[in-house]
Amino acid sequence: ENAIAEGLKARKHLGVHSEMFNDAMAELQELGVIDNSRKNYLPGVSVAGFASGQQYLYGFIDHNPGMFFTPYSHVNNPDFIRLNDNMVSVNSAVSVDLTGQVCAECIGPVQYSGSGGGFCFAYGALRSKGGRGILAFASRSKKGMPKIKPILTPGAVVTIPRNYVDYIVTEYGVAHLRGCNVRERCEQLISIAHPDDRAELRKEAQKLFYI
């Protein structure tokens, strides 16, 4: 998130409608990069469900008229999310299969985290005028396990169905999956997988008759 914030410092008139408000967002708002002036829905305020960060964050939020916190039933509602033109959702994932199915909450059958607002924001962004959905993650886990897999690990759940996945980003590039067939999805996802995983992914994709 800090890297994203650093890359946004040269931008202007950004707005926030997010499940979580964090240190990086507070800094951007304090710098005037986030001013919420061009939001269609609840303009003038950053909208969030909860905050998580350092003491600086809570000092920024305290009695700040530029902040609006609301229950998840509101902030995560795709019908409200989509009202902001050019909405961009940014989420992460535990694993993705070669067709674009996303698991963001478990490792195999073992629950790792909640689903959060991942699907809500992916869906809301796609329904927004000019909206885009982004999934960003490292190509491998901290233990060196591939996150892009031929198929999801048995027992893993689908947090975001492939038809609602737009952009997937790793350190090796960007795959734009919206409107793509299975073969095109495979080729793009293999191209952004870790280089040492690509040959095996291609071999498995051929076994599955994906390519």
Side-chain angles (χ1 to χ4, degrees), residues 23-204:
D23 293 334
M25 294 175 183
E27 181 184 4
L28 290 175
Q29 190 159 333
E30 199 162 46
L31 290 171
V33 175
I34 293 172
D35 63 12
N36 296 295
S37 62
R38 297 188 179 179
K39 289 170 62 182
N40 307 78
Y41 181 65
L42 294 175
V45 292
S46 288
V47 178
F50 75 101
S52 180
Q54 305 300 314
Q55 187 58 44
Y56 156 75
L57 173 65
Y58 305 111
F60 174 82
I61 292 170
D62 188 34
H63 291 85
N64 188 338
M67 296 297 309
F68 181 72
F69 284 85
T70 183
Y72 297 156
S73 58
H74 188 119
V75 73
N76 285 6
N77 189 325
D79 286 333
F80 296 134
I81 294 168
R82 72 177 180 83
L83 295 178
N84 287 309
D85 292 348
N86 302 307
M87 179 71 189
V88 178
S89 69
V90 181
N91 291 294
S92 190
V94 174
S95 58
V96 176
D97 76 12
L98 285 176
T99 72
Q101 294 189 115
V102 176
C103 175
E105 56 194 284
C106 57
I107 301 173
V110 180
Q111 197 73 30
Y112 176 73
S113 70
S115 59
F119 173 72
C120 299
F121 278 88
Y123 183 42
L126 285 186
R127 294 180 64 199
S128 159
K129 181 180 178 182
R132 287 140 293 178
I134 297 171
L135 284 160
F137 52 86
S139 61
R140 284 182 168 181
S141 70
K142 291 180 180 179
K143 294 183 178 180
M145 301 301 293
K147 289 192 175 183
I148 296 176
K149 303 182 177 185
I151 60 173
L152 294 180
T153 303
V157 300
V158 176
T159 309
I160 304 177
R162 65 190 189 186
N163 292 333
Y164 298 99
V165 175
D166 197 5
Y167 292 91
I168 293 182
V169 180
T170 73
E171 70 271 35
Y172 296 106
V174 179
H176 188 194
L177 304 188
R178 193 195 300 197
C180 290
N181 61 35
V182 170
R183 182 186 185 90
E184 292 166 338
R185 287 163 177 263
C186 281
E187 294 289 359
Q188 289 199 62
L189 287 168
I190 290 170
S191 75
I192 64 168
H194 192 282
D196 293 343
D197 299 329
R198 294 175 191 173
E200 183 64 21
L201 285 171
R202 183 167 295 279
K203 178 181 176 182
E204 292 301 313

